[in-house]
């Protein structure tokens, strides 16, 4: 006969012992199931890698059987492992890398490529030739030389579109094209000292792509059309009406220069002439511009442009005659535009917000300002890319 503790009955003891036994059996079952799942996944991994090996050896029928068996065990086994070919390129000695965190790697493609290249060989090489050749491959060049070549691709015209296309060649070029120094220099060239800090952006590349800016690989063009009443005929029976069409072209440069031209000529003949600042057009206006972002997060472009100065030859024909003195003056135009996006393209639209003419007389120093009314005659300018502008590189970034 035994004694029971105070407040504890035989029924409660039996209940506790039953609960403990059930919990132990449940944990044991979970542990057994987990081991079975791991064994199943390991078997599926072996079958999948065997299928890859058979496929590389040319035995496609055998490879399909192994693929089917592996996916029957674990349907998503393909996404749990990744494989990379060895630099030999003959299918022998392939190294396989488990991908336990595939989502995080693909979220940062740059880190993923860097890790893959580091795993492949101890000496990091950006790329490998696919075919044997007696000529020197570009992967032999030092990293400093490769980065200098990439700066020539970007050039002083900030052709970042060509850099993005170059990054699609291979993983090594993708890593070079994401070099922070290239994108930092591009941001400094566009915004100057106002982009010293990255906040709120996470990288220089994100700042260049997301922060509002004017585009340099083309021209902003607007077309204005209106109907003007003509003079009445001599007999008074009819009056002519004329349809007037003209274009405005604005071309921005990364160094802060801007060109503006108003002409009835169509873009096919004008756009090639605006490739450089030495345009062979007398009516072109040259000047400087700056970007300004107000408190309402609207980016505006302000420019001051003047007509090209031409040296007039001395006229000796009337040197003995007395001339009426002409008051000399400097004329400039002040332009204000609002930068915005339209459609799928970014920063491709300029809306007029200000246009005025400033005439400064040299003799008195006085300035006369004439502000033009922004009406329907000032149609928005839309960006048009010109591939010829970035076809050649004059200077590296």
């Amino acid at each position: 006969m035994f004694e029971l503790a105070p407040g504890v009955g035989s029924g409660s003891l039996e209940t506790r012992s039953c609960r403990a036994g059930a919990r132990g059996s449940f944990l044991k079952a979970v542990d057994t199931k987990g081991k079975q799942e791991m064994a199943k996944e390991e078997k599926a991994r072996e079958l999948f890698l065997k299928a890859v090996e058979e496929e590389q050896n040319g035995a496609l029928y055998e490879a399909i059987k192994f693929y089917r068996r592996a996916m029957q065990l674990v349907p998503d086994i393909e996404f749990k492992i990744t494989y990379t070919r060895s630099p030999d390129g003959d299918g022998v000695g392939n190294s396989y890398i488990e991908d336990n965190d595939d989502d995080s790697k693909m979220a940062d493609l740059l880190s993923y490529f860097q890790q893959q290249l580091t795993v492949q060989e101890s000496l990091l090489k950006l790329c490998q030739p696919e075919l044997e050749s007696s000529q020197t491959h570009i992967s032999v060049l030092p990293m400093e030389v490769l980065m200098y070549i990439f700066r020539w691709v970007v050039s002083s015209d900030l052709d970042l579109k060509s850099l993005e296309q170059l990054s699609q060649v291979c993983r090594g070029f993708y890593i070079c094209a994401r070099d922070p120094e290239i994108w930092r220099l591009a941001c400094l060239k566009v915004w100057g000292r106002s982009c010293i800090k990255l906040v709120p952006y996470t990288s220089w590349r994100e700042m260049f792509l997301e922060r509002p800016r004017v585009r340099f690989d083309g021209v902003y063009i607007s077309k204005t059309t209106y109907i003007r009443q003509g003079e009445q005929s001599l007999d008074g029976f009819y009056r002519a009406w004329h349809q007037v069409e003209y274009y405005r072209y604005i071309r921005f440069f990364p160094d802060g220069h801007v060109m503006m031209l108003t002409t009835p000529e169509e873009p096919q003949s004008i756009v090639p002439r605006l490739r450089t600042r030495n345009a062979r057009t007398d009516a072109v206006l040259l000047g400087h511009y700056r970007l300004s972002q107000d408190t309402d997060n609207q980016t505006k472009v302000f420019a001051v442009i003047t007509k090209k100065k031409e040296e007039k030859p001395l006229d000796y024909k009337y040197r003995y005659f007395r001339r009426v003195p002409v008051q000399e003056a400097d004329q400039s135009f002040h332009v204000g535009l609002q930068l915005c996006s339209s459609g799928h393209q970014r920063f491709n639209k300029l809306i007029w917000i200000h246009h005025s003419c400033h005439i400064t007389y040299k003799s008195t120093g006085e300035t006369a300002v004439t502000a033009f009314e922004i009406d329907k005659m000032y149609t928005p300018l839309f960006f048009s890319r010109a591939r010829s502008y970035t076809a050649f590189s004059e200077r590296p970034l």
Side-chain angles (χ1 to χ4, degrees):
M1 187 175 183
F2 58 89
E3 296 180 357
L4 296 176
V8 178
S10 60
S12 62
L13 288 175
E14 292 177 359
T15 303
R16 290 184 180 180
S17 61
C18 292
R19 289 179 179 176
R23 184 181 303 172
S25 61
F26 176 74
L27 294 176
K28 186 176 180 180
V30 171
D31 188 22
T32 304
K33 186 177 180 180
K35 291 181 179 179
Q36 291 177 356
E37 292 293 333
M38 291 179 61
K40 184 187 295 185
E41 184 174 337
E42 185 65 26
K43 181 64 175 177
R45 181 182 291 107
E46 292 178 0
L47 292 172
F48 189 86
L49 298 182
K50 182 66 175 176
V52 173
E53 185 178 355
E54 294 293 340
E55 182 181 358
Q56 291 179 347
N57 293 333
L60 299 181
Y61 182 78
E62 298 294 333
I64 292 175
K65 291 196 301 183
F66 286 115
Y67 279 134
R68 185 181 292 112
R69 292 175 57 187
M71 296 184 67
Q72 287 176 352
L73 294 175
V74 181
D76 59 343
I77 186 62
E78 180 183 1
F79 302 99
K80 293 186 176 181
I81 60 174
T82 57
Y83 54 94
T84 56
R85 296 191 62 180
S86 63
D88 298 335
D90 55 357
V92 181
N94 291 328
S95 59
Y96 299 92
I97 305 157
E98 295 186 6
D99 191 7
N100 297 325
D101 194 9
D102 183 71
D103 295 336
S104 61
K105 287 182 179 179
M106 296 309 295
D108 189 356
L109 196 57
L110 177 60
S111 301
Y112 176 72
F113 282 165
Q114 289 175 343
Q115 180 183 0
Q116 293 290 308
L117 291 175
T118 305
V119 172
Q120 281 186 7
E121 49 183 312
S122 57
L123 295 176
L124 179 62
K125 285 189 176 182
L126 291 176
C127 52
Q128 297 289 340
E130 293 184 358
L131 303 175
E132 294 184 0
S133 175
S134 59
Q135 299 179 353
T136 303
H137 194 258
I138 192 172
S139 60
V140 182
L141 297 177
M143 179 65 72
E144 294 78 6
V145 178
L146 284 174
M147 296 310 303
Y148 189 67
I149 294 175
F150 273 66
R151 289 177 58 188
W152 267 100
V153 173
V154 178
S155 75
S156 58
D157 297 326
L158 296 185
D159 184 16
L160 276 306
K161 186 177 181 63
S162 296
L163 182 67
E164 292 291 295
Q165 294 175 346
L166 187 62
S167 67
Q168 301 177 8
V169 174
C170 62
R171 289 177 297 181
F173 282 13
Y174 185 93
I175 294 174
C176 289
R178 295 300 187 274
D179 183 66
E181 184 62 19
I182 291 181
W183 294 93
R184 187 185 71 86
L185 294 175
C187 292
L188 289 176
K189 202 170 182 65
V190 175
W191 295 287
R193 297 180 180 179
S194 62
C195 67
I196 298 178
K197 296 182 180 180
L198 276 174
V199 179
Y201 306 100
T202 58
S203 64
W204 294 107
R205 181 175 179 271
E206 182 183 354
M207 175 186 287
F208 187 87
L209 297 178
E210 299 295 333
R211 187 172 177 177
R213 56 178 173 81
V214 292
R215 300 181 59 177
F216 311 113
D217 54 345
V219 185
Y220 288 88
I221 306 174
S222 70
K223 180 181 179 180
T224 303
T225 304
Y226 66 93
I227 297 177
R228 180 177 62 85
Q229 185 178 2
E231 296 182 358
Q232 191 174 4
S233 62
L234 297 177
D235 53 7
F237 283 102
Y238 70 92
R239 182 184 295 273
W241 292 84
H242 305 280
Q243 181 177 349
V244 182
E245 293 182 354
Y246 65 91
Y247 298 85
R248 283 194 180 97
Y249 303 88
I250 297 181
R251 165 93 156 99
F252 295 96
F253 294 90
D255 57 358
H257 286 83
V258 62
M259 291 194 308
M260 180 176 174
L261 177 63
T262 302
T263 176
E265 297 187 51
E266 295 186 352
Q268 290 81 356
S269 60
I270 293 297
V271 170
R273 304 183 199 173
L274 302 179
R275 183 179 181 275
T276 62
R277 289 193 293 270
N278 300 324
R280 300 179 179 179
T281 305
D282 297 334
V284 68
L285 303 176
L286 303 177
H288 294 80
Y289 73 93
R290 64 178 178 88
L291 297 176
S292 175
Q293 189 169 8
D294 297 339
T295 56
D296 55 357
N297 292 329
Q298 292 185 352
T299 302
K300 297 180 175 59
V301 184
F302 296 100
V304 178
I305 52 180
T306 58
K307 192 175 182 180
K308 295 172 60 176
K309 294 184 179 180
E310 301 178 355
E311 296 182 358
K312 296 182 179 181
L314 296 177
D315 189 4
Y316 296 97
K317 183 177 180 180
Y318 302 100
R319 63 182 182 271
Y320 299 110
F321 294 91
R322 184 177 180 181
R323 293 186 178 182
V324 179
V326 179
Q327 191 174 10
E328 297 183 356
D330 292 332
Q331 186 182 29
S332 62
F333 296 92
H334 291 225
V335 175
L337 302 162
Q338 180 180 338
L339 180 64
C340 54
S341 301
S342 175
H344 298 288
Q345 297 186 9
R346 309 197 65 182
F347 323 131
N348 67 328
K349 184 178 180 180
L350 293 174
I351 301 176
W352 289 88
I353 57 176
H354 176 76
H355 189 201
S356 61
C357 176
H358 294 235
I359 301 177
T360 302
Y361 299 98
K362 295 183 179 180
S363 59
T364 60
E366 297 179 355
T367 302
V369 180
T370 303
F372 303 105
E373 182 182 358
I374 305 299
D375 53 10
K376 62 181 181 179
M377 304 297 292
Y378 287 86
T379 56
L381 297 100
F382 291 91
F383 182 79
S384 177
R385 182 170 177 259
R387 295 184 178 180
S388 61
Y389 289 0
T390 55
F392 303 96
S393 298
E394 297 180 356
R395 292 182 303 275
L397 176 63

